[in-house]
Amino acid sequence: METNTAVSALSALAQETRLQIFKELVAAHSMTEEEGGLAVGELIKRLDVAPPTLSFHLKELTNARLISPRKKGRSIIYRANLAEMQSLVTFLLQDCCSGACGVTLPVTATDS
Amino acid sequence: METNTAVSALSALAQETRLQIFKELVAAHSMTEEEGGLAVGELIKRLDVAPPTLSFHLKELTNARLISPRKKGRSIIYRANLAEMQSLVTFLLQDCCSGACGVTLPVTATDS
DNA sequence: ACTATAGTTTTAGAAATATGGAAGTATAAT
DNA sequence: ATTATACTTCCATATTTCTAAAACTATAGT
């Protein structure tokens, strides 16, 4: 992962509401592409933010490739992109820990 | 690590110059407390930023506990706090990866 | 004591982010 | 066709973050 990509991912996660969104989506994650994730309406209920605000944050996370949307009826279901998170963690371990963080490096990503 | 602490750490790293600073400090790291790290002047040379700007970013990283200063003559030497980085990575793996990122969890930190 | 060096703090302006009302788009239900 | 639902985009405002010149502090050298 390039430094610029890392900065984008870190920026996306460096905000209370967005980190909460991401955590919710990770909790609701399914390895199967077509399952799991949460609709915007469900996130609004859980996080207590105005629709335009949530929409703004969802866009930020989407731009950072940390989540992705899929349409289902008139809902839009967002799903966590764990592969991107894994890339970020790998970057942090390789570039920002110099092997001194006592963590075993990840295997190659298999899930999008 | 609490969510708020994670947001602080992520915010500190979510900026080009600060991420560079941190990377330099990690590269110059020594496990021995009194060794390693870089003086502000050295960072200025490497990163090409105005002194007040660098000072500002160093303060941000310090507030997030990701680095810490020690005085040496009239220089101030900053050192990476790898334990905090490890905590952040652990948080990301536990709370934001739901065990699906194929990474072995870290052992307990030993270095400050 | 004076001067230079190394860095910080203050301060002010510029730029980027965050928030939410109002209006718009698309699908579903009647 | 009309209405309701689910969400987004547009817009204006508020807040936060970034940058660097100017002024300050502390240590070192002469």
Side-chain angles (χ1 to χ4, degrees), chain A residues 15 18 50 52-53 56-57 60 71 73-74:
Chain A
Q15 206 274 351
R18 287 198 296 265
T53 301
F56 167 78
H57 289 307
E60 295 287 304
K71 295 201 66 170
R74 57 193 145 172

Side-chain angles (χ1 to χ4, degrees), chain B residues 66-103:
Chain B
L66 283 162
I67 67 176
S68 38
R70 73 174 182 278
K71 296 201 65 168
K72 185 180 183 185
R74 57 191 146 174
S75 294
I76 296 178
I77 297 178
Y78 282 88
R79 181 170 179 274
N81 224 321
L82 294 189
E84 195 67 18
M85 173 55 93
Q86 176 171 344
S87 297
L88 175 61
V89 169
T90 301
F91 169 87
L92 291 177
L93 292 175
Q94 286 178 342
D95 287 41
C96 300
C97 246
S98 77
C101 277
V103 185

Side-chain angles (χ1 to χ4, degrees), chain A residues 74-90:
Chain A
R74 57 193 145 172
S75 293
I76 297 178
I77 297 178
Y78 283 89
R79 182 170 178 276
N81 225 319
L82 294 189
E84 195 66 18
M85 173 55 91
Q86 176 171 345
S87 297
L88 175 61
V89 168
T90 300

Side-chain angles (χ1 to χ4, degrees), chain A residues 29-50:
Chain A
H29 187 76
S30 163
M31 285 307 185
T32 315
E33 275 260 10
E34 307 307 320
E35 292 168 36
L38 292 172
V40 176
E42 182 57 32
L43 285 168
I44 287 178
K45 281 184 207 160
R46 297 190 188 189
L47 301 182
D48 186 44
V49 283

Side-chain angles (χ1 to χ4, degrees), chain B residues 35-53:
Chain B
E35 293 168 37
L38 292 172
V40 176
E42 182 58 32
L43 286 167
I44 286 179
K45 280 185 205 158
R46 297 191 189 189
L47 301 182
D48 187 41
V49 283
T53 301

